[in-house]
Amino acid sequence: MADHIPLHPVPRSTQRRAAYYTSVPAAQRHNRRYQVEDESSLLDEMPLMMSEEGFENDESDYHTLPRARVSHRKTGLEWFICGGWKFLCASCCDWLINICRRKKELKARTVWLGCPEKCEEKYPRNAIKNQKYNIFTFIPGVLYEQFKFFLNLYFLIVSCSQFVPALKIGYLYTYWAPLGFVLAVTMVREAVDEFRRYQRDKEMNSQLYSKLTIRGKVQVKSSDIQVGDLIIVEKNQRIPSDMVFLRTSEKTGSCFIRTDQLDGETDWKLKVAVSCTQRLPALGDLFSISAYVYAQKPQLDIHSFEGTFTREDSDPTVHESLSIENTLWASTVVASGTVIGVVIYSGKETRSVMNTSNPKNKVGLLDLELNQLTKALFLALVALSIVMVTLQGFVGPWYRNLFRFLLLFSYIIPISLRVNLDMGKAAYGWMIMKDDNIPGTVVRTSTIPEELGRLVYLLTDKTGTLTQNEMIFKRLHLGTVSYGTDTMDEIQNHIINSYSQMHSQSSGNSTSSTPSRKVQSSAPKVRKTVSSRIHEAVKAIALCHNVTPVYESHAGVTGETEYAEVDQNFSDENRTYQASSPDEVALVQWTESVGLTLVNRDLTSMQLKTPGGQILTYYILQVFPFTSESKRMGIIVRCGNMAREGLRTLVVAKKSLTEEQYQDFENRYNQAKLSIHDRTLKVAAVVESLEREMELLCLTGVEDQLQADVRPTLEMLRNAGIKIWMLTGDKLETATCIAKSSHLVSRTQDIHIFRPVISRGEAHLELNAFRRKHDCALVISGDSLEVCLKYYEHEFVELACQCPAVVCCRCSPTQKAHIVKLLQHHTGKRTCAIGDGGNDVSMIQAADCGIGIEGKEGKQASLAADFSITQFKHIGRLLMVHGRNSYKRSAALGQFVMHRGLIISTMQAVFSSVFYFASIPLYQGFLMVGYATIYTMFPVFSLVLDQDVKPEMALLYPELYKDLTKGRSLSFKTFLIWVLISIYQGGILMYGALLLFESEFVHVVAISFTALILTELLMVALTIRTWHWLMVVAEFFSLGCYVASLAFLNEYFGIGRVSFGAFLDVAFIMTVTFLWKVSAITVVSCLPLYILKYLKRKFSPPSYSKLTS
């Protein structure tokens, strides 16, 4: 390996440091590899450098440990202003929260069977709570979420000021109606969501379970279950809390559970009851024994558990070790039989609750940008008001005049911005759900559709998201000969022949396992024929697994799963296979297709049916399940042992044991299983001692089918500039295999597999090795990731973000969410998470935009997500088309609404300055409401139908998406252009009205308002890029509404009503003079902008227009 690492020339200044690596011989260096890694003196000798420049500066490396870069720290007032105040507020809040609800330290516990009162500590209630608010915090909570936006807070203050008589301008409803509407809509929406959450929680907490007491069975609610209770769970019932499995109605002493809502895996898991309690004659005997369970403290890891079961009243005292196979975690479902368990963890301490994070209120980047712009507008508003008061000469009660000016110009920040944007978001959601190209898509969070157009990182689950989790057996390799899907019939013929020969040889024999003994005894002496080698290989594959055949009972039986007896006729119609891995099911289904069928299995034996219908019985002595550490699965049956290496590509081997060899192994194995310290390591060592000098039988190849169009979709997303990270709970080999087959990692790219690290020194060396690689995909396990983030968070994230693709395997649900938050924190870019199982919920809720797929793993992910889709390939259209449109439209809509407020405020400023800086309104109550609603709302809102690029073009050229992530559609630059347009047009409209109408001065309101409405309608037409028939209707409808209303609103068209008392003269409006002068003002305000737009399109066209032309 070391020979292939590219070496860079080392500058003279760093040679003494390089000597550390080169002076030790390779073999020694490997042996001594990490002896003293955590000693700080040595760590300082091997600096972690983030860039090649680090080599140049001799001293820098020593001063920058443990971080690669220490940024310039702000102090004092500078720190406080630049975000320090936020940090202080957050710290105070956290401190108060911690005081209010002190976190109890989690401890290991001793739980007595059926005696909750014997528990030394008080454990949490077993209640599920997903609500954000309670009855007291709902209104304050919702109001806080609304008024933390500057826009809403500003309008609340303005509206409240209207209750002060000296500050009153116009009517109360002009301020309170829009604000009340926004708040009412938000509160109703939140209340409905909150009530739904409450109902779901209540339904879960009210589920009834049978609790076993000395007096018999009693019914208890799920929320009333306590640690120490003995709970009976029926088939297809949800397990209410974390339990240790004591008894089952199944004769085998084991049962299957479905864990799809816990770990995202669709396959059933086999769980084994504690043998001491399973052997008791009756249920009631659980109370006649004195026994307890010792359980480790509550942890996040759903794949491990260590504990012991002790029965004190027997002689000698019974000690039984407990592992993950003796546990029943909450949120899993019993799939076979009835189970009885003792509760060890409840409520917040269960594995499922510890692995879920609280949902957060998501705010889109566009909303945050608009919030910043409204702050800028507010500063402009204050400055303008101060200028007006200054020009007045600070006469009289100037502070009251200042406040009146603030109110007069308050339309600079339009409240209609919130209303329009919220309605726009609802419209985009409706369009997404109505798109026939992505059927079944549901928008669950209507507040962030624009986020779909701003994504830089996509974090995806593997199982069920990129893959279908359906395995197909593709290849059998015997070393000299290989069989593919088209030659499986040859294997079938060999199997039929070998078993028919054996049947004829053993026709006088009664023991079913004799034939296999004959084959084994003759095996080493002669070179095996291809037929016997195939026979051995297929038999090994049919035996070495954790698969159980399940026979669904016919109607009329009580619904329990039947386990057929040996002498029964095993019918193929109602047999299904269940296992913890779909690979194993694929292998057993393949052996069935070539003639060797698994027909029955219990804890002690399994039975195979030969092509001739003969039943062969094998007795199971030991099973060693697959683990990520050992990367193999083994089984000892009476007559042989096999082990398989890896997954997807499996190596099958066997070994024959004598009775003495097995007895010796069994003693050592049982001893290792009972040890409290380092149990896993001791057991692994004993098992490994057995797996030596084995006979290689064959290699198998199993393919995990990808979801439809995964490859082109990932290719499209990559071309759009989106970086894709795969976060999976699966094994490293499987994850790497899928990363290659889905083209997440291209065939030409190198893959750097991050070696397992457990200490700071190891992480240090491994990160240095990774830093020297260029343009290669990273594959890292969850454990190694944890170590790297503990010591070198900043460095690791910076390196990982430079990779074209990252694969994190063996990730827990909380780790997935942690990675999302890391990317958000370190890059500041928008993230999207997509998954389909209950284990993806935390990641989906943590991301800026969460997408759930309705898949085989239930609906939990799709219910928790912001957007729910039915297939992975739909994400392409969702982002490229709907994400683009939502962002572009909202940006245009937001800026246009601001322009609408700015233009009328400019006119007010000109008007006030002409009339000796009087703080009186230019337009009265209803005109202002009408201007923002009926006269201009429909054309402005019709911008939500605009599109700059056709959907087909956006999908054909995903590179166009890169422009969106730069946020150029809504920036301070575009905003400034709109401000200048507004000032120019407002000035022209007002000065034009005053210049051309000197003789009819009293009509200035009617004239300027008419020109204003026409200008706005023309500006909408100028902004539109693709016309829709509804846009034309909206333009003419609004114009018609204005003309029609002139007859009814004459009382409003006077200046200040009291001071001038002028009323609208309908006859005057009908004159040609009025019409040509209004038209002239409108043309002067709009024509230059049309000319500028034409010139810009001609000499500096946007990138998309080059494609469309």
Side-chain angles (χ1 to χ4, degrees), residues 539-554:
K539 186 174 74 177
I541 295 168
L543 289 170
C544 186
H545 51 72
N546 256 325
V547 180
T548 304
V550 176
Y551 296 89
E552 285 303 320
S553 51
H554 297 288

mmCIF file with all atom_site columns, all heavy atoms in Angstrom, residues 539-554:
data_model
loop_
_atom_site.group_PDB
_atom_site.id
_atom_site.type_symbol
_atom_site.label_atom_id
_atom_site.label_alt_id
_atom_site.label_comp_id
_atom_site.label_asym_id
_atom_site.label_entity_id
_atom_site.label_seq_id
_atom_site.pdbx_PDB_ins_code
_atom_site.Cartn_x
_atom_site.Cartn_y
_atom_site.Cartn_z
_atom_site.occupancy
_atom_site.B_iso_or_equiv
_atom_site.pdbx_formal_charge
_atom_site.auth_seq_id
_atom_site.auth_comp_id
_atom_site.auth_asym_id
_atom_site.auth_atom_id
_atom_site.pdbx_PDB_model_num
ATOM 1   N N   . LYS A 1 539 ? -25.160 -27.371 -0.857 1.00 0.00 ? 539 LYS A N   1
ATOM 2   C CA  . LYS A 1 539 ? -25.590 -27.803 0.478  1.00 0.00 ? 539 LYS A CA  1
ATOM 3   C C   . LYS A 1 539 ? -25.095 -26.816 1.547  1.00 0.00 ? 539 LYS A C   1
ATOM 4   O O   . LYS A 1 539 ? -25.832 -26.464 2.482  1.00 0.00 ? 539 LYS A O   1
ATOM 5   C CB  . LYS A 1 539 ? -25.065 -29.213 0.760  1.00 0.00 ? 539 LYS A CB  1
ATOM 6   C CG  . LYS A 1 539 ? -25.592 -29.793 2.077  1.00 0.00 ? 539 LYS A CG  1
ATOM 7   C CD  . LYS A 1 539 ? -25.180 -31.231 2.257  1.00 0.00 ? 539 LYS A CD  1
ATOM 8   C CE  . LYS A 1 539 ? -23.696 -31.285 2.607  1.00 0.00 ? 539 LYS A CE  1
ATOM 9   N NZ  . LYS A 1 539 ? -23.238 -32.656 2.877  1.00 0.00 ? 539 LYS A NZ  1
ATOM 10  N N   . ALA A 1 540 ? -23.858 -26.339 1.385  1.00 0.00 ? 540 ALA A N   1
ATOM 11  C CA  . ALA A 1 540 ? -23.308 -25.362 2.341  1.00 0.00 ? 540 ALA A CA  1
ATOM 12  C C   . ALA A 1 540 ? -24.137 -24.084 2.339  1.00 0.00 ? 540 ALA A C   1
ATOM 13  O O   . ALA A 1 540 ? -24.456 -23.531 3.390  1.00 0.00 ? 540 ALA A O   1
ATOM 14  C CB  . ALA A 1 540 ? -21.858 -25.061 1.982  1.00 0.00 ? 540 ALA A CB  1
ATOM 15  N N   . ILE A 1 541 ? -24.493 -23.598 1.129  1.00 0.00 ? 541 ILE A N   1
ATOM 16  C CA  . ILE A 1 541 ? -25.288 -22.361 1.030  1.00 0.00 ? 541 ILE A CA  1
ATOM 17  C C   . ILE A 1 541 ? -26.674 -22.579 1.652  1.00 0.00 ? 541 ILE A C   1
ATOM 18  O O   . ILE A 1 541 ? -27.226 -21.695 2.313  1.00 0.00 ? 541 ILE A O   1
ATOM 19  C CB  . ILE A 1 541 ? -25.407 -21.914 -0.445 1.00 0.00 ? 541 ILE A CB  1
ATOM 20  C CG1 . ILE A 1 541 ? -24.029 -21.522 -0.990 1.00 0.00 ? 541 ILE A CG1 1
ATOM 21  C CG2 . ILE A 1 541 ? -26.367 -20.733 -0.589 1.00 0.00 ? 541 ILE A CG2 1
ATOM 22  C CD1 . ILE A 1 541 ? -23.985 -21.343 -2.495 1.00 0.00 ? 541 ILE A CD1 1
ATOM 23  N N   . ALA A 1 542 ? -27.222 -23.788 1.482  1.00 0.00 ? 542 ALA A N   1
ATOM 24  C CA  . ALA A 1 542 ? -28.560 -24.081 2.012  1.00 0.00 ? 542 ALA A CA  1
ATOM 25  C C   . ALA A 1 542 ? -28.561 -24.204 3.536  1.00 0.00 ? 542 ALA A C   1
ATOM 26  O O   . ALA A 1 542 ? -29.609 -24.101 4.168  1.00 0.00 ? 542 ALA A O   1
ATOM 27  C CB  . ALA A 1 542 ? -29.090 -25.368 1.387  1.00 0.00 ? 542 ALA A CB  1
ATOM 28  N N   . LEU A 1 543 ? -27.372 -24.427 4.133  1.00 0.00 ? 543 LEU A N   1
ATOM 29  C CA  . LEU A 1 543 ? -27.302 -24.617 5.588  1.00 0.00 ? 543 LEU A CA  1
ATOM 30  C C   . LEU A 1 543 ? -26.770 -23.399 6.338  1.00 0.00 ? 543 LEU A C   1
ATOM 31  O O   . LEU A 1 543 ? -27.147 -23.163 7.488  1.00 0.00 ? 543 LEU A O   1
ATOM 32  C CB  . LEU A 1 543 ? -26.398 -25.820 5.913  1.00 0.00 ? 543 LEU A CB  1
ATOM 33  C CG  . LEU A 1 543 ? -26.947 -27.213 5.572  1.00 0.00 ? 543 LEU A CG  1
ATOM 34  C CD1 . LEU A 1 543 ? -25.855 -28.257 5.716  1.00 0.00 ? 543 LEU A CD1 1
ATOM 35  C CD2 . LEU A 1 543 ? -28.128 -27.565 6.479  1.00 0.00 ? 543 LEU A CD2 1
ATOM 36  N N   . CYS A 1 544 ? -25.866 -22.650 5.720  1.00 0.00 ? 544 CYS A N   1
ATOM 37  C CA  . CYS A 1 544 ? -25.166 -21.584 6.454  1.00 0.00 ? 544 CYS A CA  1
ATOM 38  C C   . CYS A 1 544 ? -25.886 -20.245 6.306  1.00 0.00 ? 544 CYS A C   1
ATOM 39  O O   . CYS A 1 544 ? -25.583 -19.444 5.421  1.00 0.00 ? 544 CYS A O   1
ATOM 40  C CB  . CYS A 1 544 ? -23.741 -21.472 5.935  1.00 0.00 ? 544 CYS A CB  1
ATOM 41  S SG  . CYS A 1 544 ? -22.773 -20.310 6.894  1.00 0.00 ? 544 CYS A SG  1
ATOM 42  N N   . HIS A 1 545 ? -26.853 -20.025 7.189  1.00 0.00 ? 545 HIS A N   1
ATOM 43  C CA  . HIS A 1 545 ? -27.638 -18.784 7.126  1.00 0.00 ? 545 HIS A CA  1
ATOM 44  C C   . HIS A 1 545 ? -28.482 -18.669 8.390  1.00 0.00 ? 545 HIS A C   1
ATOM 45  O O   . HIS A 1 545 ? -28.462 -19.560 9.246  1.00 0.00 ? 545 HIS A O   1
ATOM 46  C CB  . HIS A 1 545 ? -28.552 -18.786 5.899  1.00 0.00 ? 545 HIS A CB  1
ATOM 47  C CG  . HIS A 1 545 ? -29.386 -20.029 5.781  1.00 0.00 ? 545 HIS A CG  1
ATOM 48  N ND1 . HIS A 1 545 ? -30.446 -20.275 6.630  1.00 0.00 ? 545 HIS A ND1 1
ATOM 49  C CD2 . HIS A 1 545 ? -29.299 -21.106 4.954  1.00 0.00 ? 545 HIS A CD2 1
ATOM 50  C CE1 . HIS A 1 545 ? -30.990 -21.444 6.318  1.00 0.00 ? 545 HIS A CE1 1
ATOM 51  N NE2 . HIS A 1 545 ? -30.306 -21.977 5.311  1.00 0.00 ? 545 HIS A NE2 1
ATOM 52  N N   . ASN A 1 546 ? -29.234 -17.582 8.485  1.00 0.00 ? 546 ASN A N   1
ATOM 53  C CA  . ASN A 1 546 ? -30.138 -17.373 9.632  1.00 0.00 ? 546 ASN A CA  1
ATOM 54  C C   . ASN A 1 546 ? -31.575 -17.301 9.156  1.00 0.00 ? 546 ASN A C   1
ATOM 55  O O   . ASN A 1 546 ? -32.389 -16.597 9.731  1.00 0.00 ? 546 ASN A O   1
ATOM 56  C CB  . ASN A 1 546 ? -29.776 -16.068 10.350 1.00 0.00 ? 546 ASN A CB  1
ATOM 57  C CG  . ASN A 1 546 ? -29.018 -16.367 11.636 1.00 0.00 ? 546 ASN A CG  1
ATOM 58  O OD1 . ASN A 1 546 ? -29.303 -17.353 12.288 1.00 0.00 ? 546 ASN A OD1 1
ATOM 59  N ND2 . ASN A 1 546 ? -28.061 -15.530 11.969 1.00 0.00 ? 546 ASN A ND2 1
ATOM 60  N N   . VAL A 1 547 ? -31.884 -17.995 8.077  1.00 0.00 ? 547 VAL A N   1
ATOM 61  C CA  . VAL A 1 547 ? -33.207 -17.894 7.448  1.00 0.00 ? 547 VAL A CA  1
ATOM 62  C C   . VAL A 1 547 ? -34.169 -18.898 8.082  1.00 0.00 ? 547 VAL A C   1
ATOM 63  O O   . VAL A 1 547 ? -33.784 -20.019 8.385  1.00 0.00 ? 547 VAL A O   1
ATOM 64  C CB  . VAL A 1 547 ? -33.104 -18.151 5.925  1.00 0.00 ? 547 VAL A CB  1
ATOM 65  C CG1 . VAL A 1 547 ? -34.474 -18.051 5.258  1.00 0.00 ? 547 VAL A CG1 1
ATOM 66  C CG2 . VAL A 1 547 ? -32.133 -17.167 5.294  1.00 0.00 ? 547 VAL A CG2 1
ATOM 67  N N   . THR A 1 548 ? -35.413 -18.486 8.275  1.00 0.00 ? 548 THR A N   1
ATOM 68  C CA  . THR A 1 548 ? -36.454 -19.389 8.785  1.00 0.00 ? 548 THR A CA  1
ATOM 69  C C   . THR A 1 548 ? -37.629 -19.393 7.810  1.00 0.00 ? 548 THR A C   1
ATOM 70  O O   . THR A 1 548 ? -38.127 -18.324 7.446  1.00 0.00 ? 548 THR A O   1
ATOM 71  C CB  . THR A 1 548 ? -36.954 -18.912 10.168 1.00 0.00 ? 548 THR A CB  1
ATOM 72  O OG1 . THR A 1 548 ? -35.839 -18.802 11.051 1.00 0.00 ? 548 THR A OG1 1
ATOM 73  C CG2 . THR A 1 548 ? -37.974 -19.869 10.742 1.00 0.00 ? 548 THR A CG2 1
ATOM 74  N N   . PRO A 1 549 ? -38.058 -20.576 7.366  1.00 0.00 ? 549 PRO A N   1
ATOM 75  C CA  . PRO A 1 549 ? -39.259 -20.622 6.522  1.00 0.00 ? 549 PRO A CA  1
ATOM 76  C C   . PRO A 1 549 ? -40.503 -20.433 7.391  1.00 0.00 ? 549 PRO A C   1
ATOM 77  O O   . PRO A 1 549 ? -40.597 -21.015 8.475  1.00 0.00 ? 549 PRO A O   1
ATOM 78  C CB  . PRO A 1 549 ? -39.213 -22.017 5.903  1.00 0.00 ? 549 PRO A CB  1
ATOM 79  C CG  . PRO A 1 549 ? -38.359 -22.826 6.797  1.00 0.00 ? 549 PRO A CG  1
ATOM 80  C CD  . PRO A 1 549 ? -37.474 -21.900 7.577  1.00 0.00 ? 549 PRO A CD  1
ATOM 81  N N   . VAL A 1 550 ? -41.438 -19.597 6.930  1.00 0.00 ? 550 VAL A N   1
ATOM 82  C CA  . VAL A 1 550 ? -42.664 -19.329 7.687  1.00 0.00 ? 550 VAL A CA  1
ATOM 83  C C   . VAL A 1 550 ? -43.840 -19.750 6.830  1.00 0.00 ? 550 VAL A C   1
ATOM 84  O O   . VAL A 1 550 ? -43.913 -19.403 5.640  1.00 0.00 ? 550 VAL A O   1
ATOM 85  C CB  . VAL A 1 550 ? -42.758 -17.818 8.031  1.00 0.00 ? 550 VAL A CB  1
ATOM 86  C CG1 . VAL A 1 550 ? -44.066 -17.519 8.737  1.00 0.00 ? 550 VAL A CG1 1
ATOM 87  C CG2 . VAL A 1 550 ? -41.586 -17.405 8.906  1.00 0.00 ? 550 VAL A CG2 1
ATOM 88  N N   . TYR A 1 551 ? -44.763 -20.517 7.433  1.00 0.00 ? 551 TYR A N   1
ATOM 89  C CA  . TYR A 1 551 ? -45.952 -20.967 6.716  1.00 0.00 ? 551 TYR A CA  1
ATOM 90  C C   . TYR A 1 551 ? -47.156 -20.251 7.275  1.00 0.00 ? 551 TYR A C   1
ATOM 91  O O   . TYR A 1 551 ? -47.479 -20.403 8.446  1.00 0.00 ? 551 TYR A O   1
ATOM 92  C CB  . TYR A 1 551 ? -46.132 -22.492 6.859  1.00 0.00 ? 551 TYR A CB  1
ATOM 93  C CG  . TYR A 1 551 ? -45.010 -23.265 6.229  1.00 0.00 ? 551 TYR A CG  1
ATOM 94  C CD1 . TYR A 1 551 ? -43.870 -23.581 6.968  1.00 0.00 ? 551 TYR A CD1 1
ATOM 95  C CD2 . TYR A 1 551 ? -45.075 -23.657 4.893  1.00 0.00 ? 551 TYR A CD2 1
ATOM 96  C CE1 . TYR A 1 551 ? -42.822 -24.269 6.398  1.00 0.00 ? 551 TYR A CE1 1
ATOM 97  C CE2 . TYR A 1 551 ? -44.023 -24.353 4.316  1.00 0.00 ? 551 TYR A CE2 1
ATOM 98  C CZ  . TYR A 1 551 ? -42.906 -24.652 5.060  1.00 0.00 ? 551 TYR A CZ  1
ATOM 99  O OH  . TYR A 1 551 ? -41.865 -25.328 4.483  1.00 0.00 ? 551 TYR A OH  1
ATOM 100 N N   . GLU A 1 552 ? -47.782 -19.427 6.451  1.00 0.00 ? 552 GLU A N   1
ATOM 101 C CA  . GLU A 1 552 ? -48.980 -18.714 6.918  1.00 0.00 ? 552 GLU A CA  1
ATOM 102 C C   . GLU A 1 552 ? -50.125 -19.703 6.983  1.00 0.00 ? 552 GLU A C   1
ATOM 103 O O   . GLU A 1 552 ? -50.388 -20.418 6.010  1.00 0.00 ? 552 GLU A O   1
ATOM 104 C CB  . GLU A 1 552 ? -49.334 -17.565 5.963  1.00 0.00 ? 552 GLU A CB  1
ATOM 105 C CG  . GLU A 1 552 ? -48.419 -16.356 6.079  1.00 0.00 ? 552 GLU A CG  1
ATOM 106 C CD  . GLU A 1 552 ? -48.374 -15.772 7.484  1.00 0.00 ? 552 GLU A CD  1
ATOM 107 O OE1 . GLU A 1 552 ? -49.430 -15.719 8.121  1.00 0.00 ? 552 GLU A OE1 1
ATOM 108 O OE2 . GLU A 1 552 ? -47.279 -15.401 7.931  1.00 0.00 ? 552 GLU A OE2 1
ATOM 109 N N   . SER A 1 553 ? -50.830 -19.724 8.126  1.00 0.00 ? 553 SER A N   1
ATOM 110 C CA  . SER A 1 553 ? -51.918 -20.682 8.301  1.00 0.00 ? 553 SER A CA  1
ATOM 111 C C   . SER A 1 553 ? -53.121 -20.264 7.467  1.00 0.00 ? 553 SER A C   1
ATOM 112 O O   . SER A 1 553 ? -53.312 -19.099 7.165  1.00 0.00 ? 553 SER A O   1
ATOM 113 C CB  . SER A 1 553 ? -52.305 -20.741 9.773  1.00 0.00 ? 553 SER A CB  1
ATOM 114 O OG  . SER A 1 553 ? -52.531 -19.437 10.240 1.00 0.00 ? 553 SER A OG  1
ATOM 115 N N   . HIS A 1 554 ? -53.945 -21.256 7.099  1.00 0.00 ? 554 HIS A N   1
ATOM 116 C CA  . HIS A 1 554 ? -55.128 -20.976 6.291  1.00 0.00 ? 554 HIS A CA  1
ATOM 117 C C   . HIS A 1 554 ? -56.257 -20.435 7.149  1.00 0.00 ? 554 HIS A C   1
ATOM 118 O O   . HIS A 1 554 ? -56.210 -20.471 8.357  1.00 0.00 ? 554 HIS A O   1
ATOM 119 C CB  . HIS A 1 554 ? -55.583 -22.261 5.580  1.00 0.00 ? 554 HIS A CB  1
ATOM 120 C CG  . HIS A 1 554 ? -54.547 -22.764 4.626  1.00 0.00 ? 554 HIS A CG  1
ATOM 121 N ND1 . HIS A 1 554 ? -54.257 -22.138 3.435  1.00 0.00 ? 554 HIS A ND1 1
ATOM 122 C CD2 . HIS A 1 554 ? -53.704 -23.836 4.722  1.00 0.00 ? 554 HIS A CD2 1
ATOM 123 C CE1 . HIS A 1 554 ? -53.292 -22.814 2.820  1.00 0.00 ? 554 HIS A CE1 1
ATOM 124 N NE2 . HIS A 1 554 ? -52.944 -23.839 3.581  1.00 0.00 ? 554 HIS A NE2 1
#
